[in-house]
Amino acid sequence: MSKMKDMAMTIEDLRSAAAAINDVADWLTQQFSGNADEPKEQPKKKPELKLEDVRAVLADMSRKGHTAEIRALLQKYGAAKLSGVDPANYKALLKDVEGLDHA
């Protein structure tokens, strides 16, 4: 496995761990705030986009004939390949890719 891929997986693991710790902290706060009998509605979190999810969308658009446009969008986000795109940019990338189908 390449060093960049290892680093990307480590970063993803750290983000998942941070989210889990945050969830536990919220639960503990709710349990010990004196209002444990009144369940609070927590906002529903959107699932994080994963590389595989984005890859599936890009592959579908590529099959529809948008390969050149996808390469240009990847370059816009500073990468030659999807694995080089910062996961923080996945949502914006997908929004740009959706625009290709309507162009």
Side-chain angles (χ1 to χ4, degrees), residues 47-65:
E48 279 189 41
L49 289 172
K50 298 195 182 276
L51 176 71
E52 296 80 19
D53 301 328
V54 178
R55 181 173 283 136
V57 173
L58 295 184
D60 184 50
M61 291 301 284
S62 183
R63 282 190 291 274
K64 291 180 180 179

Side-chain angles (χ1 to χ4, degrees), residues 54 57-58 61-62 66-82 84-86 89-101 103:
V54 178
V57 173
L58 295 184
M61 291 301 284
S62 183
H66 297 289
T67 304
E69 293 95 333
I70 290 172
R71 284 190 184 132
L73 286 173
L74 291 174
Q75 289 177 348
K76 173 183 172 183
Y77 290 96
K81 301 187 300 184
L82 177 58
V85 175
D86 182 352
N89 292 326
Y90 286 169
K91 184 176 179 180
L93 174 60
L94 286 179
K95 186 171 182 173
D96 288 344
V97 169
E98 288 174 8
L100 297 176
D101 225 12

Side-chain angles (χ1 to χ4, degrees), residues 3-91:
K3 289 183 181 182
M4 291 302 293
K5 190 169 184 178
D6 284 342
M7 180 61 71
M9 289 176 61
T10 300
I11 290 169
E12 184 61 32
D13 288 345
L14 286 171
R15 287 187 175 153
S16 295
I21 290 169
N22 194 33
D23 289 344
V24 169
D26 289 344
W27 181 84
L28 287 170
T29 300
Q30 181 181 359
Q31 293 302 311
F32 296 103
S33 67
N35 297 334
D37 296 335
E38 301 173 22
K40 294 181 182 177
E41 278 197 38
Q42 296 188 5
K44 293 184 180 182
K45 295 180 184 177
K46 292 184 181 178
E48 279 189 41
L49 289 172
K50 298 195 182 276
L51 176 71
E52 296 80 19
D53 301 328
V54 178
R55 181 173 283 136
V57 173
L58 295 184
D60 184 50
M61 291 301 284
S62 183
R63 282 190 291 274
K64 291 180 180 179
H66 297 289
T67 304
E69 293 95 333
I70 290 172
R71 284 190 184 132
L73 286 173
L74 291 174
Q75 289 177 348
K76 173 183 172 183
Y77 290 96
K81 301 187 300 184
L82 177 58
S83 59
V85 175
D86 182 352
N89 292 326
Y90 286 169
K91 184 176 179 180

